[in-house]
Amino acid sequence: FSCTVLFLALFYIYTMVRNIAVLTSGGDSSGMNAALRAVVRATLAKGGRAFVVWEGYYGLINDSAEKRLIREADWGSVSGILNKGGTQIGSARSADFRTRDGRRKAAYNLIKHEINYLVVIGGDGSLTGANLLRTEWEGLLADLVAEGKCAAEVATSHKHLGVAGLVGSIDNDMCGTDLTIGADTALHRILEAIDAILSTAMSHQRSFIVEVMGRNCGWLALVAGLCTGADWVLIPEKPPKQGWEEKIVADLERGRLNGRRCSLVIIAEGAIDSEGQPISSSYVKKILEERAGHDTRITILGHVQRGGTPSALDRIIATQMGVAAVEALYDIDFSKEGPVMIGMKGNRMVRLPLMKCVADTHAVAEAIAAKDFKRAIALRGPEFSESLSILKTMYKMKPFLSVPSSPLPSLGSGIRIGIMHSGGPSPGMNSAVRAVVRLGLDHGYSMYGIKNGFQGLVVEGGDIVEMNWMSVNGWAVLGGAELETTRTIPNDNNIQAIVKNIELRRLDVLIMFGGFNGYEGALSLEKYKNTYPSLRRIPVLCVPGTIANNLPGTEWSIGADTALNNVLDAIDKIKQSAVSSRRVFVVEVMGADCGYLATMTGLATGAERAYINETGLTLKHISADLKMMSDRFAMGNRLGLIVTSEKANPTYSTHFVASLIKEESHGAFDVRESILGHLQQGGSPSAWDRHNAARLMYHAIKLIDQGVKKRIAAAAAATQPFMIPHEGLIPAGALGFVDGQIVFTHMDKLKALIHPKFRRPLHQWWFDLVPLTKMIAIANVPSSSSSSSSSSSRSEEEQDRGAVPHIIPSLSPSTMGLEQSGAWKKQPPSPQ
């Protein structure tokens, strides 16, 4: 029996303990540190041993007892790096790694630590190098055994190298993933620079040429152009045709004649013409000065795009990818399967064949070199192609009428679309209105802005204005809501006025871009359709716009990303204020009944706890967390952070929680509360919010266009005089993001997705990240706050709230270290 137990114990150790090394290689990108932190802590949480390799492949080859470029990491080794740009462990390219002798040295330095699992964070070149090492691994170990540098039994037990790749690239140029680590932050840096440039450009009526990175990929330039309202964008995947010089001059001049005070051209560093010849910023400047007489300036953003504090999205996806990479190294049998790349599809992490993704990425460059630009765009994926189509429409100055303004006499003066907001303000509202107005005009529709939401349909005559192309000029970068918004919704007292104004303006479709109030308003109009038959032909199309991200039929809402970045900016500053004190901060964020903002804030800031309505909050939880905080401060911690959602508990307010913890800490640490309030709703919208607001509105117009075409087809097929149907052009419903796609949800299904007690969806994808937020923040989760404690009462409460209880992964005794500085943080000698 004892032998059996010993065998099982040894088998468990052999099969479950992993020595995992992580390195960063190639160009750095913001978010690499978040990925590094996640890999180390996920490995320790699994009971494995984590190693960090300094200076990329250089460190892998040149490790020695003196240099210590490969070091074991503990839990505290990666504390305090989540909000730092670049990579804390350095990155260096290595010519030696391109040789077999160099890779043999790398294999030796790994195997001497008994490491045969590797996480590489870098671009396609770095990931290709990792695969080459994996391919040669068994032969390299055989060489080391023959040289007496590796014991035969060690080589046998470590005969396969497991490799997981995370793509760290600001260019977002890897096929297979929606987003790469660092791309969103780079886009933030670009937008910050261009937003600042536009103000001085308008003052002097100048033209600015802004060059961004992207040698073989135009994603940064494309999305930046869409987000800033650029007049022209030059990218390698879609080069301009011969004679483009005359066209760019004509387009920019037309913009000036229409009232623009400045012009903006964004150019990717790898921009070419249709013949494959490079297009430089200086050449574009020469064209604008000599042929248009413009006062023109060039700004080359350069390496500013790589640096700075990582964005919320980069911190979150890098953390998810790092954890997913470790899970893959534990799950996959690498004797049978090749290396894996962790990618992002929608909001979920996926495992992909590494070398297929690399091959597809190389195929894009090959297609560009072969001037097969259609194939290059197709390989970039549907979102890239879609963004390109939207951009081309956005900077047209004379809309092309693809749908006649009067397709049939019986349709009157054409299709008339109203756009409005409802609910609280959300960053991205103006970006959405700009997009839908210009896309609608491009399709020949008449566009009307309804001010103050449903209240604009209540006042006498309606507070409604017709909008033209220049009505929304400059709106892409504006925060707030130029059309204004209120929380009024249709009710028995105002419904007659609403119906009267809709009929007066002969609106065919009503687009509501807003939050939960707007969705309630749309559902309320549905109820009145039996009483007011004219409402049956006027569908309401809801588009999600709220910082709370609490809407049915979508996994993301426009405005939530900006709010999250606002919160992170504030918390980063708050944490800096505690540098000379022992302090716990209790920070309240918005979100109403939805804990999305609090949970994501906790994940992106490394908060020890995030209190949300979905899981409930009791005195027992607060007491357990007080003990946890006290223990951590007793072991040398100087800072603690608790994030609480504004409605985590109707009784235990943020002030109560902070006061209770302060009182019961007995002076072991100070406690301060901070209620961030409405700063979360303000500011210029983030890149993600601007980009996806335009994408949603593109699909809104596409949906309406399909309805118009069906009506035209029905009219053409009619044998008798065509009468306008009592039904609307499209069914009433909502657009949203589901599994990485923009989908339509019918109004009758929308109501079933709403929680019966709380203003949030019944099922929320992000709730699966709640245990990850706890696991990745601290090594020892107190049992009293885990799902194992008070299991019956917690599960009943959570089920009542529409939450699903989760079990926190158990942590081994070797991972019980706290947030203290690790010895390896001292900078090693730089490679010469």
Side-chain angles (χ1 to χ4, degrees), residues 324-473:
V326 173
E327 292 287 346
L329 293 180
Y330 269 82
D331 292 347
I332 295 173
D333 182 355
F334 286 99
S335 66
K336 299 176 181 177
E337 297 186 41
V340 64
M341 187 188 89
I342 305 301
M344 174 185 176
K345 290 294 182 185
N347 53 46
R348 292 168 176 81
M349 300 301 114
V350 294
R351 297 174 187 174
L352 302 161
L354 174 60
M355 294 315 296
K356 182 182 185 304
C357 296
V358 170
D360 289 345
T361 301
H362 290 169
V364 178
E366 292 166 2
I368 293 172
K371 302 177 188 176
D372 189 353
F373 302 113
K374 287 185 179 179
R375 182 166 180 265
I377 293 172
L379 286 168
R380 287 283 181 227
E383 185 177 322
F384 188 94
S385 177
E386 181 181 283
S387 298
L388 188 58
S389 297
I390 298 170
L391 178 68
K392 288 166 65 179
T393 300
M394 289 294 100
Y395 58 61
K396 284 182 182 177
M397 294 307 302
K398 290 186 177 179
F400 169 74
L401 304 182
S402 61
V403 176
S405 59
S406 291
L408 289 171
S410 58
L411 294 181
S413 60
I415 305 303
R416 301 158 73 90
I417 300 173
I419 172 70
M420 60 182 286
H421 305 306
S422 183
S426 178
M429 283 182 162
N430 291 321
S431 302
V433 173
R434 172 182 179 270
V436 77
V437 166
R438 291 194 170 177
L439 289 166
L441 292 172
D442 185 62
H443 282 70
Y445 305 140
S446 298
M447 305 300 298
Y448 293 85
I450 302 168
K451 294 193 172 183
N452 290 302
F454 286 106
Q455 184 63 34
L457 291 171
V458 174
V459 298
E460 183 67 28
D463 195 355
I464 304 171
V465 294
E466 185 169 5
M467 308 191 78
N468 59 40
W469 198 265
M470 294 304 293
S471 298
V472 291
N473 188 47

Side-chain angles (χ1 to χ4, degrees), residues 135-146:
T135 303
E136 297 177 346
W137 180 258
E138 196 168 353
L140 295 172
L141 293 191
D143 291 348
L144 294 173
V145 171

Side-chain angles (χ1 to χ4, degrees), residues 571-581 583 585 639:
I571 289 180
D572 285 347
K573 291 181 173 66
I574 287 170
K575 291 168 74 173
Q576 290 173 357
S577 73
V579 67
S580 61
S581 60
R583 186 170 291 167
F585 285 96
L639 174 67

